[in-house]
Amino acid sequence: MINWLAMGAGVVVAFALGFVIYGPFLGLQRRWAEGTRISPEPPAAPPFGSMLAQIVSLALLSLVIAITATTDSLFLAIFAILAVAAQAASVGSWAQKSGFAIALDTGYAILCGAVMIVMQGIF
């Protein structure tokens, strides 16, 4: 049976992690924005469409992790996470992002998956 609490916690914690990583807190925001070729200045209004897409993406990955937890398929979960990270790297490369921006996006994808696995273990 899917652990919905763990799945939801994974989404919330991963989204908050993205806010920390891509926000002004760690000092990575400007370098990532420049490497992504967008303005390093914060937008006038929050990018709600992008945030919604991120939540949907995180919910889908968390659902996959939750399903793999029901069958003790940790390696499948890891492969799913690596697939998401590889896709982020591929898109970043195609969009000609800097190596730093690609590494940050890819690392964030892997961290999200790791957080989701941890949430399955906690709850």
Side-chain angles (χ1 to χ4, degrees):
M1 178 171 205
I2 291 177
N3 184 336
W4 296 104
L5 178 60
M7 183 192 144
V11 173
V12 170
V13 173
F15 189 77
L17 183 62
F19 187 70
V20 170
I21 290 172
Y22 292 101
F25 311 105
L26 301 178
L28 305 173
Q29 180 184 31
R30 178 168 293 280
R31 190 167 171 202
W32 174 84
E34 290 168 351
T36 305
R37 296 193 197 150
I38 61 174
S39 172
E41 298 305 318
F48 290 116
S50 297
M51 292 167 72
L52 178 61
Q54 180 65 14
I55 290 169
V56 169
S57 173
L58 291 171
L60 291 171
L61 180 59
S62 194
L63 178 60
V64 169
I65 301 305
I67 291 169
T68 64
T70 66
T71 59
D72 293 325
S73 302
L74 179 60
F75 285 113
L76 181 58
I78 291 169
F79 291 137
I81 294 163
L82 292 175
V84 170
Q87 179 67 18
S90 171
V91 169
S93 178
W94 183 259
Q96 299 178 350
K97 290 183 176 185
S98 70
F100 176 81
I102 293 169
L104 194 63
D105 292 345
T106 303
Y108 172 62
I110 292 169
L111 280 173
C112 286
V115 161
M116 292 169 186
I117 290 172
V118 168
M119 291 300 113
Q120 289 294 322
I122 290 174
F123 295 102

